[in-house]
């Protein structure tokens, strides 16, 4: 049986966004089972907003309006709504919904189904503007915006391929569904996070200490304007509350980073590439380690210039076709491309390409007669070749043109088949990816240790103590401050 749900919408400014939220609830909230409570928090234009809101909801059953005596902030308004204005009963659910959020069809049923999963304490929805809950999250066009229309199209295509739910480190507060009995037992939001920002993370982590999970309902979509229901210095407030969160839960940054690295599915990571925008797809190639790269540049250009936007990292002095984009920066694994062309890739290059590219083309040289003289052998490239080549179009250095036909076939595969292959590649290469991340963390830790040791040695040196003495004397000289 579906839990009856109280939907709380704190109201603070931005009438246009509020009315979109109201219209979404009027259309998609089943008031035979659920009810909505709008609480005016006496923000800018509170009176005209009140008039417009009351006019919009009228005497609709299941829709209620209240007004605070004075501004309480988001945290205070939510707490008052669920403990004073509508204390409800255990066994029901409470949905806290930002006034700049727009529900879509079936959103609450999908979220409630996840809330009923074992030990699930909080559920959030997919959105166009909700940090790690956004879809698409990583983009293939660095300058593109994540619009509502684009999110609807991508989510509509990939949501059926995603699991019903996934466990998150914390849930997003714009659309925050929880069990009434957890509020009764643990309280809702800590006033230390008033007027807002970070309170939802604290709630998730408090109940997590008692075994309750935060999840995302992949089959629920709630759009979100973001920042429209809050005023003041948001950045300073967010930063201060983030520091408090990390003081209480020092593991939180690492938990979020780990989720982004190996908690997401390949389908959601590459959602923007799986559902093409119509723009020219990007193809990336890194030839910086290739000797005599000129011939390979010509072959790649002949094979892929028609139909792809090529970007390359080349050895110094290697000429490139005028249409190519040449860069010297190291590739960003979160800057997604449709295709990556790899030449005898090392394990590190395989990890990067796996995180960055929807499709892989591997140019594979013949095994060397003297293995230890070969970069590919010394780096372990030939060791991981059987693993990566299962998921790539593989060609010899003098047959790059043949890769185009194989790539075109891969691009023409149905979405479901492409997502299945991508998921298999993601799972097969995940141990390599995690090992690379662990090595990177160890190297960073070793570098910090080395720098601290050097700093300690410097402070203990005679020259450092002499410099300190000179500075003290100089500070007492006339005209010095």
């Amino acid at each position: 049986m579906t839990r009856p749900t109280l939907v709380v919408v704190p109201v603070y400014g931005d009438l246009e966004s509020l009315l979109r939220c109201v219209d979404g609830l009027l259309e998609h909230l089943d008031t035979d089972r659920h009810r909505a409570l709008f609480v005016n928090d006496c923000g800018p234009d509170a009176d005209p907003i009140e008039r417009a809101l009351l006019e919009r909801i009228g005497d609709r059953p299941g829709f209620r309006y209240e007004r605070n005596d004075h501004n309480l902030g988001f945290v205070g308004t939510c707490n008052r709504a669920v403990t004073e204005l509508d204390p409800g009963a255990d066994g029901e659910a409470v949905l806290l919904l930002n006034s700049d959020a727009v529900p879509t069809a079936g959103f609450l049923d999908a979220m409630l189904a996840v809330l009923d999963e074992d030990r699930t304490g909080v559920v959030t929805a997919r959105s166009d503007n909700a940090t790690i809950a956004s879809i698409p999250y990583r983009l293939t066009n660095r300058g593109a915006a994540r619009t509502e229309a684009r999110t609807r199209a991508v989510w509509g295509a990939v949501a059926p391929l995603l699991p019903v739910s996934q466990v998150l480190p914390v849930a997003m507060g714009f659309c925050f569904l929880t069990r009434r009995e957890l509020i009764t037992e643990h309280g809702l939001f800590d006033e230390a996070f008033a007027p807002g920002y970070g309170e939802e993370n604290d709630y998730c982590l408090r109940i997590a200490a008692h075994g309750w999970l935060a999840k995302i309902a992949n089959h629920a979509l709630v759009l979100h304007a973001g920042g429209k229901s809050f005023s003041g210095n948001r950045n300073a407030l967010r930063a201060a509350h983030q520091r408090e969160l990390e003081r209480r839960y020092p593991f939180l940054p690492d938990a979020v980073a780990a989720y982004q690295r190996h908690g997401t599915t390949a389908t959601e990571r590459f959602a923007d590439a799986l559902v093409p925008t119509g723009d020219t797809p990007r193809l990336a190639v890194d030839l910086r380690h290739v000797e005599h790269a000129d011939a390979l540049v010509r072959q790649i250009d002949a094979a892929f210039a028609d139909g792809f936007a090529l970007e390359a990292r080349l050895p110094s002095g290697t000429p490139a076709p005028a249409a190519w984009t040449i860069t010297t920066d190291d590739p960003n694994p979160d800057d997604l491309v449709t295709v990556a062309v790899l030449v005898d890739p090392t394990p590190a290059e395989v990890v990067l390409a796996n995180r960055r590219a929807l499709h892989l083309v591997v140019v594979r040289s013949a095994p060397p007669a003297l293995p230890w003289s070969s970069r590919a052998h010394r780096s372990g490239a030939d060791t991981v070749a059987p693993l990566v080549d299962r998921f790539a179009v593989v060609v010899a250095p003098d047959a790059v043109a043949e890769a185009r036909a194989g790539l075109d076939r891969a691009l023409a595969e149905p979405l479901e088949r492409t997502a299945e292959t991508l998921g298999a590649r993601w799972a097969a290469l995940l141990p390599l990816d995690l090992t690379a991340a662990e090595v990177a963390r160890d190297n960073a830790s070793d570098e910090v240790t080395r720098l601290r040791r050097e700093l300690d040695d410097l402070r203990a040196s005679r020259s450092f103590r002499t410099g300190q003495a000179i500075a003290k004397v100089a500070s007492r000289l006339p005209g010095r401050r």
Side-chain angles (χ1 to χ4, degrees):
M1 180 178 178
T2 301
R3 288 171 177 262
T5 302
L6 167 66
V7 181
V8 175
V9 183
V11 175
Y12 183 93
D14 194 50
L15 178 60
E16 180 181 356
S17 295
L18 170 63
L19 293 181
R20 291 191 68 206
C21 176
V22 173
D23 290 344
L25 288 172
L26 287 171
E27 182 176 2
H28 301 301
L29 187 68
D30 180 0
T31 52
D32 288 337
R33 297 182 295 164
H34 313 302
R35 61 196 187 278
L37 170 61
F38 297 85
V39 185
N40 190 331
D41 193 28
C42 300
D45 304 316
D47 292 335
I49 285 176
E50 179 174 85
R51 290 192 294 270
L53 177 56
L54 289 172
E55 180 180 350
R56 186 63 60 97
I57 64 175
D59 57 357
R60 298 287 185 94
F63 284 76
R64 174 185 171 191
Y65 172 82
E66 295 288 345
R67 179 167 175 164
N68 293 336
D69 292 335
H70 59 279
N71 179 257
L72 298 178
F74 184 84
V75 167
T77 298
C78 289
N79 286 342
R80 180 177 182 240
V82 302
T83 60
E84 177 186 333
L85 297 177
D86 191 334
D90 288 351
E92 70 175 17
V94 174
L95 174 66
L96 306 175
L97 187 68
N98 280 19
S99 62
D100 56 359
V102 182
T104 67
F107 83 105
L108 187 53
D109 285 343
M111 294 180 72
L112 285 168
V114 174
L115 189 68
D116 282 339
E117 293 176 355
D118 188 46
R119 301 305 293 175
T120 301
V122 181
V123 178
T124 193
R126 286 290 178 183
S127 184
D128 58 326
N129 184 16
T131 60
I132 58 177
S134 301
I135 195 162
Y137 183 44
R138 307 296 185 191
L139 303 179
T140 54
N141 183 342
R142 289 164 290 189
R146 192 185 298 105
T147 63
E148 287 188 6
R150 178 63 181 157
T151 288
R152 286 181 184 272
V154 173
W155 177 81
V158 304
L161 307 178
L162 296 175
V164 171
S165 67
Q166 289 162 243
V167 177
L168 297 170
V170 291
M172 282 63 252
F174 81 104
C175 181
F176 195 83
L177 181 71
T178 189
R179 300 171 184 241
R180 170 70 77 168
E181 56 266 33
L182 292 180
I183 297 175
T184 301
E185 183 175 355
H186 303 288
L188 185 55
F189 293 149
D190 188 334
E191 292 287 346
F193 294 94
Y197 289 122
E199 71 285 340
E200 76 280 24
N201 295 338
D202 176 72
Y203 178 85
C204 290
L205 295 170
R206 277 192 286 119
I207 66 170
H210 298 273
W212 294 97
L213 300 172
K215 293 185 179 180
I216 188 167
N218 284 317
H219 298 169
L221 179 66
V222 176
L223 303 170
H224 181 217
K228 296 295 185 68
S229 57
F230 200 95
S231 67
N233 191 342
R234 291 192 292 266
N235 291 337
L237 191 63
R238 185 183 287 114
H241 289 181
Q242 183 64 29
R243 288 193 295 272
E244 175 60 16
L245 281 172
E246 292 178 19
R247 185 192 68 79
R248 296 184 181 194
Y249 315 102
F251 60 86
L252 180 58
D254 286 344
V256 173
Y259 172 79
Q260 291 179 295
R261 188 164 195 97
H262 59 83
T264 61
T265 68
T267 297
E268 65 179 292
R269 179 175 180 83
F270 288 97
D272 199 42
L274 284 165
V275 185
T277 62
D279 295 334
T280 304
R282 295 166 63 201
L283 182 148
V285 58
D286 190 343
L287 304 180
R288 288 177 293 182
H289 64 280
V290 177
E291 294 183 7
H292 313 299
D294 306 52
L296 206 49
V297 167
R298 291 191 294 271
Q299 289 192 71
I300 292 172
D301 188 63
F304 300 110
D306 181 17
F308 291 94
L310 278 75
E311 60 180 56
R313 291 160 177 83
L314 301 177
S316 178
T318 302
W324 287 28
T325 298
I326 305 302
T327 181
T328 58
D329 296 337
D330 287 333
N332 180 348
D334 294 327
D335 177 24
L336 302 188
V337 295
T338 300
V339 185
V341 177
L342 308 172
V343 181
D344 295 324
T346 66
E349 289 166 344
V350 168
V351 167
L352 175 63
N354 183 51
R355 299 195 67 77
R356 193 178 182 215
L358 180 62
H359 297 284
L360 304 179
V361 172
V362 173
V363 180
R364 183 75 67 190
S365 302
L370 300 173
W372 291 109
S373 67
S374 162
R375 172 187 179 270
H377 187 74
R378 295 193 306 271
S379 68
D382 53 356
T383 303
V384 299
L387 186 61
V388 67
D389 289 1
R390 293 165 47 203
F391 306 103
V393 177
V394 184
V395 294
D398 59 353
V400 173
E402 297 176 9
R404 181 59 188 261
L407 181 59
D408 286 344
R409 285 193 296 272
L411 290 168
E413 289 276 9
L415 174 62
E416 294 81 0
R417 175 61 180 161
T418 302
E420 181 183 353
T421 302
L422 184 64
R425 187 188 88 191
W426 193 255
L429 296 177
L430 183 59
L432 193 63
D433 189 309
L434 295 177
T435 300
E438 187 68 25
V439 169
R441 280 194 295 270
D442 288 346
N443 288 344
S445 178
D446 289 346
E447 179 66 9
V448 170
T449 300
R450 184 186 66 79
L451 291 173
R452 284 175 175 165
R453 188 180 300 117
E454 288 184 3
L455 183 58
D456 289 341
D457 290 344
L458 176 62
R459 286 171 172 164
S461 68
R462 178 179 296 177
S463 58
F464 181 80
R465 294 196 300 271
T466 302
Q468 283 186 312
I470 292 172
K472 288 179 181 178
V473 173
S475 67
R476 296 197 296 268
L477 292 174
R480 302 280 296 189
R481 293 187 178 181

